[in-house]
Amino acid sequence: MMTQSSPTTVKSEAGNVAVGNVAEPMALSVTDVAKSYGSGFSLGPVTFDLPMGYIMGLIGPNGAGKSTLIKLILNMIHRDAGSISVLDLDNIADEVKVKEQLGVVFDSSYFSTYWTVKMAEESMMAAYPTWNHALFADYLKQFGIDTKKKVKDLSRGMQMKLMLAAALSHDAKLLILDEPTSGLDVLARDDLMDILQRYIEDGQHSVLFSTHITSDLEHAADLITYITQGKLYFTGSKDEFDDAFRLVKGGPDELDAVNPVAVGVRSYLTGFDALVHTERVNELVQADHELHVEPVSIDDIIRLTNGRAAGPCRHEEGSKAR
Amino acid sequence: MKSIDIKQVKRSMRIDYLRLAASGEGSVWILALVPLVFTFIGFIVDDGAITFGAAGAVTAICALYAAFSAMMVFSNEETTGNTSMNGIVPVSRLNQVFARFALGFVADVITAIEGVLCLLILFHHDEPSVSLFVGLGLGVFGVALFLGGMVIPIFYKFTVTKAMGWSFAILGLLFFAVFLIGKIMPDNIRKRMVEWITTARLGVVPWAAIFAVLVAIVVCVCSFMLSVRVYERKEL
Amino acid sequence: MKLIISSVSGEPIYEQIKRQIREAVLNGELKGGEALPSLRKLARELRISVLTVTRAYNELADEGIVVNVQGKGTFVAEKGDERMKKKLTDQVRNALRQVGAAAKAADIPLIDLMDLLETEYKKAK
């Protein structure tokens, strides 16, 4: 049985992150962006900043609005409100200039599947004046992609790597990846995170990485923006995100005391897991010393802030087990 | 309103060409050879009817190929998951539309020239008048431009299968309308029209052909503006 | 320089980094004026976030153990080891003051207290 109070946005500053506390320029600034569909789904308002030189994970369950947000940044769909600035340029007024410096990877190949890898490169050469053929060839070699093969004959993972190679070969300053790891195994995902960390290493490049495989972000992500059910739930540093909540566990009779304070609760036969803002944990613990408090993982936060039913409630009448 | 930027147009034209050539660059040019085959047949077989039939085939193929080269780009784009690339490349939507029209225009010019050359070869016996061929060439060009122009906005609005349906429906309606007008028209007006079509010239170029091309260009410009409107609203 | 990060120890990663750097400075492994690994390179090698390393370096700089030089990197403060030693000595002194107070409250004479200290000192580490 899951209960959940309405999500409140937890914001924190992502500004003073540099060594020496000098303010960093922004790679991406999204302000009050909103979009609603006739079907009833609406996203926003969403506000967050990605300073230059960092990796931001965009997380949330499927259907939360992450892909919608990315398409809004790319102006592939039209926003109802707000403004988006990429590398200090307006994403609509300076759309072309923006896209020249943007590298994009989608969860499915955007190349024509009938193209050979060589033709795919030709399309990229045509699109980007800053195309670096030698660099692209190096990446192809590194990823083991044969230039004579047709895109449709590449595996899903290879197709993603092809897009990645293209995104990295025209001196893009911001990389946007939408669920790039869904088709990859652990080793490939590890390689990807290494590539991304190398990419931002000079401090002049940034990454926005949307995923529902949060383990990829546990280590390398600097910032987190968490979207759920079309609402912005949190944006800020990953350490703050982890630190903003605690997992409080207790027995069934302690639930009533915890419920009003918790952000999300999952209860089961022998007790409950509750997600509680760190500031409020003390008052709970003072009232009841038996409560068990733990640090929380990104997955726990996502699981407990979404009202998805985990399964039937297992209370049985007259059950002796407690 | 943003303006047309040749740099961006060139980028998009190149990509559209790659879409046409997706099954191999050879395939684009092999299709262009088809009229030549008919020409060859018509040339070898020295029978008036066959030659005429070949000429008809050549004309029709050239016009259709030119008109629907744009459609082939749309088709390749959609069936291969290539449309999302349009959201990524640094080309504004206005310029993407212009590029597609431009590529169609270039295809039209090439196939019109090819058509005229084929017809010249087929009818080399008859020492035909230059103006007849210029007229035919421009006529083919005009028809292709007209058809392509009419059809492109439909393909921007709908998916390929739906668009094909709508295109044929509209073209069918068009032909039916022309047919009706022809039927309804009083005889003397029709006679005068035929006379004008076959005789009026501007130097070597028949007025009818010029008229056809002008109409086609107007249709294309309107179709371009409509396409831009449709495409800029589209959600990719 | 040796730096080991444990993701299961419960200690926040930035604290682990700080602690190990402090230890390295104290035992002379890192000398005054020596450069710490580049912030971003370290983050990549350890597979942790750049912000985490930044926080560790910044807090160490606040403690005076290292110095951030804009554009050049982060260096162990000259006499960083001395500063560390002084800081730790202050900590010991404070702790001892509290111990003294506690001992007096418990009526433990100084001689016994010193015996106690000797025993525990030998046990420690």
Side-chain angles (χ1 to χ4, degrees):
Chain A
M1 184 174 78
M2 288 265 292
T3 58
Q4 174 201 323
S5 55
S6 59
T8 48
T9 307
V10 178
K11 282 208 192 89
S12 70
E13 40 179 86
N16 325 340
V17 294
V19 173
N21 280 325
V22 174
E24 297 266 23
M26 289 299 158
L28 172 65
S29 249
V30 173
T31 312
D32 290 329
V33 165
K35 167 83 181 171
S36 18
Y37 285 100
S39 63
F41 174 73
S42 74
L43 173 68
V46 175
T47 300
F48 68 87
D49 290 326
L50 170 56
M52 197 184 327
Y54 297 96
I55 297 179
M56 171 179 274
L58 181 61
I59 61 175
N62 283 334
K66 307 191 296 291
S67 293
T68 304
L69 186 54
I70 287 183
K71 285 191 174 172
L72 285 168
I73 294 172
L74 293 170
N75 202 25
M76 284 169 72
I77 61 182
H78 306 297
R79 59 176 182 250
D80 294 335
S83 64
I84 298 179
S85 132
V86 180
L87 302 163
D88 275 334
L89 298 164
D90 185 275
N91 86 318
I92 291 184
D94 294 311
E95 185 171 354
V96 175
K97 257 195 255 157
V98 163
K99 290 188 178 174
E100 281 173 359
Q101 304 182 69
L102 223 53
V104 181
V105 177
F106 283 139
D107 61 344
S108 58
S109 174
Y110 55 69
F111 292 113
S112 170
T113 46
Y114 291 140
W115 282 343
T116 57
V117 170
K118 183 163 181 295
M119 286 173 84
E121 180 180 4
E122 286 179 26
S123 72
M124 294 283 98
M125 267 197 286
Y128 297 106
T130 45
W131 185 257
N132 185 333
H133 169 75
L135 188 55
F136 184 71
D138 278 344
Y139 277 119
L140 289 188
K141 216 189 296 176
Q142 186 185 334
F143 297 151
I145 297 177
D146 180 1
T147 52
K148 289 190 283 296
K149 266 204 159 148
K150 292 211 174 204
V151 172
K152 66 176 162 68
D153 295 329
L154 294 175
S155 71
R156 178 122 185 257
M158 289 294 215
Q159 287 182 356
M160 191 291 284
K161 288 180 187 171
L162 181 60
M163 283 189 280
L164 183 63
L168 292 169
S169 301
H170 65 272
D171 201 24
K173 296 287 188 292
L174 173 62
L175 223 53
I176 297 184
L177 305 106
D178 190 3
E179 306 272 0
T181 54
S182 332
L184 303 181
D185 64 15
V186 169
L187 292 178
R189 290 185 353 230
D190 207 49
D191 284 342
L192 175 64
M193 293 321 292
D194 184 59
I195 289 175
L196 294 180
Q197 285 200 283
R198 279 178 202 273
Y199 180 70
I200 66 163
E201 199 170 334
D202 71 353
Q204 305 299 314
H205 301 83
S206 322
V207 175
L208 178 68
F209 179 141
S210 112
T211 181
H212 59 272
I213 304 182
T214 48
S215 53
D216 292 337
L217 299 172
E218 285 289 357
H219 296 294
D222 300 303
L223 305 155
I224 297 275
T225 295
Y226 170 32
I227 308 256
T228 178
Q229 293 165 37
K231 301 275 171 286
L232 174 71
Y233 199 90
F234 174 90
T235 184
S237 81
K238 178 177 59 78
D239 288 340
E240 273 176 77
F241 186 58
D242 288 340
D243 215 37
F245 299 98
R246 294 279 186 273
L247 199 57
V248 173
K249 302 189 179 191
D253 32 345
E254 295 164 297
L255 180 55
D256 287 333
V258 175
N259 224 338
V261 178
V263 162
V265 176
R266 169 179 286 155
S267 62
Y268 35 91
L269 195 60
T270 53
F272 65 88
D273 291 342
L275 190 69
V276 180
H277 285 307
T278 309
E279 309 97 60
R280 313 219 47 194
V281 166
N282 279 332
E283 62 187 74
L284 285 179
V285 170
Q286 274 162 20
D288 177 3
H289 300 279
E290 303 257 32
L291 288 173
H292 185 75
V293 178
E294 300 182 350
V296 78
S297 75
I298 298 181
D299 278 339
D300 292 328
I301 299 177
I302 294 183
R303 219 179 314 124
L304 290 167
T305 51
N306 278 280
R308 243 191 302 199
C313 184
R314 299 224 228 109
H315 290 177
E316 287 164 3
E317 290 232 292
S319 159
K320 288 197 199 122
R322 261 307 210 90
Chain B
M1 164 83 166
K2 296 185 214 153
S3 54
I4 293 183
D5 176 6
I6 294 294
K7 247 191 337 179
Q8 292 178 42
V9 170
K10 271 207 255 176
R11 290 175 190 172
S12 198
M13 277 179 79
R14 174 75 182 142
I15 294 177
D16 276 353
Y17 174 74
L18 285 167
R19 285 166 173 154
L20 259 185
S23 336
E25 290 201 48
S27 68
V28 179
W29 300 103
I30 285 185
L31 278 176
L33 291 177
V34 171
L36 295 179
V37 171
F38 280 98
T39 309
F40 186 69
I41 295 176
F43 187 73
I44 297 288
V45 177
D46 214 358
D47 179 291
I50 303 236
T51 308
F52 202 78
V58 163
T59 315
I61 290 173
C62 284
L64 282 174
Y65 184 51
F68 294 119
S69 56
M71 187 202 81
M72 282 165 30
V73 176
F74 279 105
S75 172
N76 186 304
E77 213 182 43
E78 186 184 300
T79 55
T80 62
N82 194 221
T83 42
S84 43
M85 194 164 136
N86 289 330
I88 298 173
V89 294
V91 180
S92 73
R93 297 212 187 177
L94 170 68
N95 286 304
Q96 286 184 25
V97 175
F98 190 82
R100 198 148 297 179
F101 272 84
L103 192 65
F105 190 85
V106 168
D108 290 349
V109 169
I110 293 178
T111 46
I113 293 177
E114 183 189 5
V116 169
L117 286 175
C118 288
L119 290 173
L120 271 171
I121 294 175
L122 281 172
F123 291 116
H124 71 284
H125 287 317
D126 311 326
E127 287 174 14
S129 63
V130 178
S131 77
L132 178 62
F133 284 103
V134 173
L136 275 172
L138 281 176
V140 167
F141 181 65
V143 167
L145 215 55
F146 182 84
L147 292 177
M150 279 217 50
V151 145
I152 288 183
I154 302 177
F155 277 84
Y156 268 116
K157 178 91 181 153
F158 301 110
T159 60
V160 169
T161 27
K162 255 202 192 149
M164 292 227 274
W166 276 106
S167 299
F168 282 117
I170 292 183
L171 288 177
L173 262 172
L174 204 66
F175 280 121
F176 188 65
V178 171
F179 177 70
L180 259 183
I181 292 176
K183 274 276 160 158
I184 301 177
M185 211 187 288
D187 269 341
N188 56 339
I189 298 190
R190 193 184 317 140
K191 261 209 199 131
R192 224 146 3 118
M193 274 192 71
V194 174
E195 231 188 276
W196 182 74
I197 287 177
T198 46
T199 53
R201 290 189 206 314
L202 178 69
V204 121
V205 184
W207 253 114
I210 297 180
F211 186 68
V213 173
L214 284 175
V215 167
I217 289 181
V218 168
V219 165
C220 275
V221 170
C222 294
S223 146
F224 172 70
M225 299 197 313
L226 181 60
S227 299
V228 170
R229 200 107 172 284
V230 167
Y231 192 46
E232 281 188 346
R233 295 243 167 88
K234 202 169 191 188
E235 316 238 294
L236 288 172
Chain C
M1 185 192 127
K2 172 177 156 180
L3 200 56
I4 296 183
I5 302 297
S6 159
S7 45
V8 297
S9 74
E11 185 185 8
I13 294 181
Y14 72 92
E15 286 290 2
Q16 293 180 42
I17 297 177
K18 281 165 63 182
R19 179 174 43 79
Q20 290 178 69
I21 291 182
R22 275 195 219 108
E23 283 168 10
V25 170
L26 207 54
N27 64 27
E29 227 186 289
L30 283 175
K31 312 235 185 312
E34 195 174 324
L36 291 184
S38 130
L39 194 156
R40 285 170 175 273
K41 185 142 180 261
L42 187 63
R44 175 171 60 79
E45 302 249 342
L46 293 177
R47 301 243 187 233
I48 55 183
S49 102
V50 167
L51 280 185
T52 304
V53 181
T54 306
R55 182 175 180 181
Y57 278 23
N58 278 354
E59 291 188 6
L60 285 175
D62 288 342
E63 287 173 25
I65 303 185
V66 304
V67 176
N68 282 325
V69 179
Q70 183 75 317
K72 292 240 178 79
T74 305
F75 301 84
V76 178
E78 295 291 347
K79 304 185 198 262
D81 54 335
E82 281 184 23
R83 209 166 306 177
M84 273 234 49
K85 210 135 182 214
K86 179 178 180 311
K87 187 169 172 216
L88 288 172
T89 311
D90 287 342
Q91 280 180 8
V92 171
R93 183 172 300 130
N94 283 337
L96 286 176
R97 188 173 308 143
Q98 289 180 7
V99 165
K104 282 192 185 160
D107 268 336
I108 301 177
L110 184 58
I111 301 277
D112 292 348
L113 182 58
M114 287 173 72
D115 277 339
L116 217 56
L117 177 60
E118 200 179 331
T119 326
E120 293 303 323
Y121 189 88
K122 289 194 179 134
K123 272 201 228 158
K125 212 181 179 195

